[in-house]
Amino acid sequence: MIRRGLGLNALCGGRTLARNLSAVVMPPSNHSSKPYKGPDFEKVKKIKQDNLVPCLLTYYRKPLLIHEGKMQWLFDHEGKRYLDMFGGIVTVSVGHCHPKVNEAAISQMNQLWHTTNIYLHPKIHEYAEKLASKFPGDLKVFYFVNSGSEANDLALFMARAHTHNSEVVSLRNGYHGMSPYIMGITALSTWKYNVNTGGGIHHTMNPDVYRGPWGGSRCRDSPIQTTRECTCSPEACEASERYYEQLQDVFRYSLPSGHVGAFIAESIQGVGGTVQFPKGYLKKAYELVKSNGGVCIADEVQTGFGRTGEHFWGFEMHGVTPDIVTMAKGMGNGFPMAGVVTTPAIAQSLAAALHFNTFGGNPVASAVGKAVLEVIEEEGLQQNCEVVGTHLLKGLSQLRDEFGEVVGDVRGKGLMIGVELVADAQARTPIASSHFLDVWEDCKDMGVLLGRGGLHGNVLRIKPPMCITMADADFTIDVLRRAISNHLQKKRKNLS
């Protein structure tokens, strides 16, 4: 394995790296992929070019053709094995093709695929009852849909119908989906089109303690803090107060007489680059919203189902109880399913007219969702997220210390992790895209698949299946260390 302790500080003048970096060793797997029998690589590329919309971008300079998955592993058409540290965009929660989840789907498909909710069928009721046991308070009434965008779309509509207020506040840098109705509350310019996506939407300053004007080394609820200094105390986060004042200004100046329909926020921002809010911010924001007649929506599409480790839902780390919670992705371990949960009083707002989702809560989806919950419990995956995730975060923070001029920030909780790469540590200048791609591609070639996020596309997103092991975490750290070292060697060679 690669030895720790090598970083940019080993480079000075005309000197080269002081240590020879040995080959990284991938943890073993007892699964071998079946021979690939689909269209060849070039044919697949041609079909994509001719028959799929161009916005469906693929990762990497040389794209992967994946044809099989097993737990935390993916296999390409040539049989090469990869450690999936992105989980199908934070979607594969309990492992690719988990046997219990597969069996639940197959068994239900052999009995009843679909009937919709015009008839009673047992699976949706069994699932709703089990899922309700995971929520606090009056969050007991579910509406099942098919994707996170649909869930957030419905949550926003439900909030407006209940409060009779159309004004909605979301955070800059937040991502909530791509449906035309919900695209307006997504506040990342790279995900927005030049079309009207709805009125009554206001974006407040993102409380980012790494990139924002306030915050530092005492502000996050995380094993790893940013290296920025701050004057916050354990009892009071000054950065939280400053960002909260910005939210108050939105209420003062932008909302009609202070009234608001809804406030929506992720518990940890996902697509935006795994951004964590300062301690206490979300609690104060919720109080402000509720005091002005609004409801609070927690977007748990990426942070739910135990991924953050300490809690089953991300909002619990903030000490708040939302009025509406949206969920998707890990809910079905890759099966297309999503949902909204709310209180009986808010749910009643949809009874004013007919509202129906053809596939939401169908028998197969409900069987899959129930099996996912059972696997999380039986295999202790929430606890695994906390233990392995903390170990991984601490290892990545060592990389930040070793390669401080490239690794600007490490953040997250459980297995919801981001590593921000920079060109200038002091100015926090995002690393050039070509240099990011060098590191990213190198990790892929060594067998580790990582996500990419942040407004500037400079954050490595690490959100693997929740079944990964300590050995997988160490392998990821070693591969990333090697990739960064290779990048620095190349950079130094170009400068000499």
Side-chain angles (χ1 to χ4, degrees):
M1 303 294 283
I2 293 176
R3 290 181 291 174
R4 306 286 195 264
L6 180 63
L8 189 62
N9 291 334
L11 298 172
C12 60
R15 295 159 60 187
T16 59
L17 291 168
R19 292 180 176 85
N20 178 39
L21 295 172
S22 59
V24 293
V25 180
M26 179 179 284
S29 169
N30 58 10
H31 181 81
S32 297
S33 67
K34 301 177 183 66
Y36 176 69
K37 297 180 180 179
D40 65 37
F41 187 77
E42 293 304 320
K43 176 67 172 176
V44 169
K45 288 172 62 178
K46 182 70 164 59
I47 294 170
K48 181 183 184 305
Q49 178 180 322
D50 293 345
N51 304 118
L52 295 175
V53 293
C55 65
L56 294 177
L57 299 177
T58 52
Y59 272 8
Y60 305 117
R61 288 164 174 152
K62 183 181 178 182
L64 292 175
L65 176 53
I66 298 295
H67 90 108
E68 191 171 334
K70 185 65 176 178
M71 301 307 287
Q72 65 268 50
W73 304 105
L74 289 172
F75 300 82
D76 70 13
H77 67 296
E78 297 176 336
K80 182 175 178 180
R81 178 163 58 100
Y82 299 87
L83 178 61
D84 182 9
M85 292 298 287
F86 198 29
I89 313 184
V90 209
T91 300
V92 178
S93 51
V94 301
H96 292 281
C97 299
H98 191 286
K100 178 163 184 167
V101 180
N102 280 10
E103 175 55 34
I106 293 167
S107 177
Q108 186 59 50
M109 288 170 73
N110 286 334
Q111 182 173 340
L112 178 68
W113 276 46
H114 180 72
T115 179
T116 79
N117 294 307
I118 59 173
Y119 307 115
L120 297 176
H121 62 86
K123 286 302 176 185
I124 190 173
H125 300 86
E126 293 171 7
Y127 181 47
E129 183 179 47
K130 186 166 185 62
L131 189 56
S133 70
K134 299 294 185 182
F135 283 95
D138 287 336
L139 291 169
K140 302 297 181 188
V141 183
F142 295 91
Y143 194 121
F144 295 114
V145 292
N146 308 294
S147 73
S149 290
E150 270 190 279
N152 282 327
D153 199 291
L154 177 61
L156 197 62
F157 179 78
M158 193 182 289
R160 284 169 158 169
H162 177 72
T163 62
H164 304 291
N165 288 317
S166 63
E167 306 300 306
V168 176
V169 178
S170 67
L171 299 174
R172 296 173 193 158
N173 200 60
Y175 177 90
H176 300 282
M178 291 299 292
S179 68
Y181 189 69
I182 211 68
M183 195 186 297
I185 63 171
T186 288
L188 283 160
S189 59
T190 48
W191 292 88
K192 299 181 81 70
Y193 290 84
N194 189 25
V195 296
N196 187 353
T197 54
I201 295 167
H202 310 270
H203 301 135
T204 190
M205 180 183 284
N206 192 41
D208 182 348
V209 301
Y210 174 67
R211 287 205 162 273
W214 306 291
S217 58
R218 299 179 181 88
C219 296
R220 289 178 182 154
D221 176 18
S222 171
I224 306 302
Q225 301 289 337
T226 178
T227 56
R228 290 176 68 185
E229 288 299 320
C230 68
T231 57
C232 303
S233 68
E235 296 78 27
C237 179
E238 294 180 17
S240 179
E241 290 294 335
R242 301 290 83 77
Y243 289 115
Y244 174 67
E245 288 169 2
Q246 296 297 309
L247 178 62
Q248 285 180 309
D249 275 352
V250 171
F251 277 72
R252 289 189 187 103
Y253 297 109
S254 301
L255 299 180
S257 302
H259 293 297
V260 64
F263 170 79
I264 184 169
E266 301 160 272
S267 298
I268 297 176
Q269 290 179 334
V271 174
T274 321
V275 174
Q276 291 179 277
F277 313 137
K279 290 177 286 188
Y281 173 82
L282 209 57
K283 190 168 187 176
K284 290 191 287 285
Y286 272 35
E287 291 169 355
L288 179 64
V289 171
K290 292 185 179 185
S291 67
N292 284 275
V295 299
C296 299
I297 304 170
D299 182 336
E300 293 285 334
V301 169
Q302 295 191 27
T303 48
F305 297 91
R307 177 162 293 280
T308 57
E310 188 177 354
H311 303 286
F312 199 81
W313 303 108
F315 64 77
E316 294 176 287
M317 77 177 79
H318 297 282
V320 298
T321 300
D323 302 291
I324 303 173
V325 180
T326 61
M327 64 207 89
K329 290 191 178 285
M331 182 180 191
N333 198 46
F335 193 91
M337 59 184 300
V340 178
V341 64
T342 189
T343 65
I346 296 175
Q348 190 62 34
S349 62
L350 288 186
L354 293 175
H355 200 285
F356 187 71
N357 187 292
T358 301
F359 298 106
N362 71 73
V364 179
S366 298
V368 166
K370 184 171 179 285
V372 168
L373 290 178
E374 290 168 353
V375 171
I376 292 172
E377 294 172 350
E378 293 164 4
E379 299 185 5
L381 295 185
Q382 180 183 335
Q383 293 75 22
N384 193 60
C385 286
E386 182 171 17
V387 174
V388 177
T390 300
H391 175 79
L392 180 54
L393 275 163
K394 289 181 177 179
L396 292 168
S397 74
Q398 291 177 7
L399 288 187
R400 181 193 62 192
D401 295 341
E402 294 169 18
F403 302 105
E405 294 190 36
V406 178
V407 182
D409 195 33
V410 172
R411 50 189 179 251
K413 199 165 186 180
L415 289 175
M416 183 83 180
I417 298 171
V419 178
E420 183 153 354
L421 304 185
V422 296
D424 185 308
Q426 290 299 113
R428 301 186 291 281
T429 307
I431 192 171
S433 181
S434 61
H435 293 167
F436 181 94
L437 290 173
D438 287 341
V439 174
W440 201 34
E441 197 91 13
D442 212 1
C443 288
K444 180 259 291 183
D445 291 341
M446 287 186 278
V448 174
L449 305 181
L450 304 168
R452 185 181 187 184
L455 179 65
H456 305 287
N458 67 317
V459 179
L460 294 166
R461 297 174 65 196
I462 303 176
K463 286 101 177 184
M466 301 191 297
C467 59
I468 68 161
T469 66
M470 289 288 199
D472 298 330
D474 288 337
F475 175 62
T476 300
I477 294 165
D478 288 335
V479 164
L480 190 51
R481 173 178 284 106
R482 178 63 174 267
I484 294 172
S485 297
N486 289 345
H487 161 66
L488 291 174
Q489 285 182 312
K490 180 180 177 181
K491 181 180 178 181
R492 183 154 195 85
K493 183 178 179 180
N494 290 337
L495 290 173
S496 63

